[in-house]
Coordinates of all heavy atoms in Angstrom, one line a residue:
Q14 N -45.9 -40.1 12.1 CA -47.4 -39.9 12.4 C -47.8 -38.5 12.5 O -48.9 -38.2 12.8 CB -47.7 -40.6 13.7 CG -47.6 -42.1 13.7 CD -46.2 -42.6 14.2 OE1 -45.4 -41.8 14.6 NE2 -46.0 -43.8 14.2
S15 N -46.9 -37.6 12.3 CA -47.2 -36.2 12.5 C -48.0 -35.6 11.3 O -47.9 -36.1 10.2 CB -46.0 -35.3 12.7 OG -45.2 -35.3 11.6
R16 N -48.8 -34.6 11.5 CA -49.6 -34.0 10.5 C -48.7 -33.4 9.4 O -49.0 -33.3 8.3 CB -50.5 -33.0 11.1 CG -51.5 -33.5 12.0 CD -52.4 -32.5 12.6 NE -53.3 -33.1 13.5 CZ -54.0 -32.4 14.4 NH1 -53.9 -31.1 14.5 NH2 -54.8 -33.0 15.2
S17 N -47.5 -32.8 9.8 CA -46.7 -32.1 8.9 C -46.0 -33.0 7.8 O -45.9 -32.6 6.7 CB -45.6 -31.3 9.6 OG -44.8 -32.2 10.3
V89 N -45.2 -41.3 19.7 CA -46.5 -41.2 19.0 C -47.2 -40.0 19.6 O -47.4 -40.0 20.8 CB -47.3 -42.5 19.1 CG1 -48.6 -42.3 18.3 CG2 -46.5 -43.6 18.5
P90 N -47.7 -39.1 18.8 CA -48.4 -37.9 19.3 C -49.6 -38.3 20.1 O -50.3 -39.3 19.9 CB -48.8 -37.1 18.1 CG -47.8 -37.5 17.1 CD -47.5 -38.9 17.3
K91 N -50.0 -37.5 21.1 CA -51.1 -37.8 22.0 C -52.4 -37.9 21.3 O -53.2 -38.7 21.7 CB -51.1 -36.7 23.1 CG -52.0 -37.0 24.3 CD -51.9 -36.0 25.4 CE -52.7 -36.4 26.6 NZ -52.5 -35.4 27.7
Y92 N -52.6 -37.0 20.3 CA -53.9 -37.1 19.6 C -54.1 -38.4 18.9 O -55.2 -38.9 18.7 CB -54.1 -35.9 18.7 CG -53.2 -35.8 17.5 CD1 -53.6 -36.4 16.3 CD2 -52.0 -35.2 17.6 CE1 -52.8 -36.3 15.2 CE2 -51.2 -35.2 16.5 CZ -51.6 -35.7 15.3 OH -50.8 -35.6 14.2
I93 N -53.0 -39.0 18.4 CA -53.1 -40.3 17.7 C -53.4 -41.4 18.7 O -54.2 -42.3 18.5 CB -51.8 -40.6 16.9 CG1 -51.8 -39.6 15.7 CG2 -51.8 -42.0 16.4 CD1 -50.6 -39.7 14.9
L94 N -52.7 -41.4 19.9 CA -53.0 -42.4 20.9 C -54.4 -42.3 21.4 O -55.1 -43.3 21.6 CB -52.0 -42.2 22.1 CG -50.6 -42.6 21.9 CD1 -49.8 -42.2 23.1 CD2 -50.5 -44.0 21.6
N95 N -54.9 -41.0 21.6 CA -56.3 -40.9 22.0 C -57.3 -41.4 21.0 O -58.3 -42.0 21.3 CB -56.6 -39.4 22.4 CG -55.9 -39.0 23.6 OD1 -55.5 -39.8 24.4 ND2 -55.8 -37.7 23.8
A96 N -57.0 -41.1 19.7 CA -57.9 -41.6 18.6 C -57.9 -43.1 18.6 O -59.0 -43.8 18.4 CB -57.5 -41.0 17.3
K97 N -56.7 -43.7 18.8 CA -56.6 -45.2 18.7 C -57.4 -45.8 19.9 O -58.1 -46.8 19.8 CB -55.2 -45.6 18.8 CG -54.9 -47.1 18.8 CD -53.4 -47.4 18.8 CE -53.2 -48.9 18.9 NZ -51.8 -49.2 19.0

Side-chain angles (χ1 to χ4, degrees):
Q14 293 95 1
S15 66
R16 293 176 184 168
S17 62
V89 179
K91 191 172 184 177
Y92 67 92
I93 291 179
L94 287 176
N95 289 340
K97 182 180 177 183

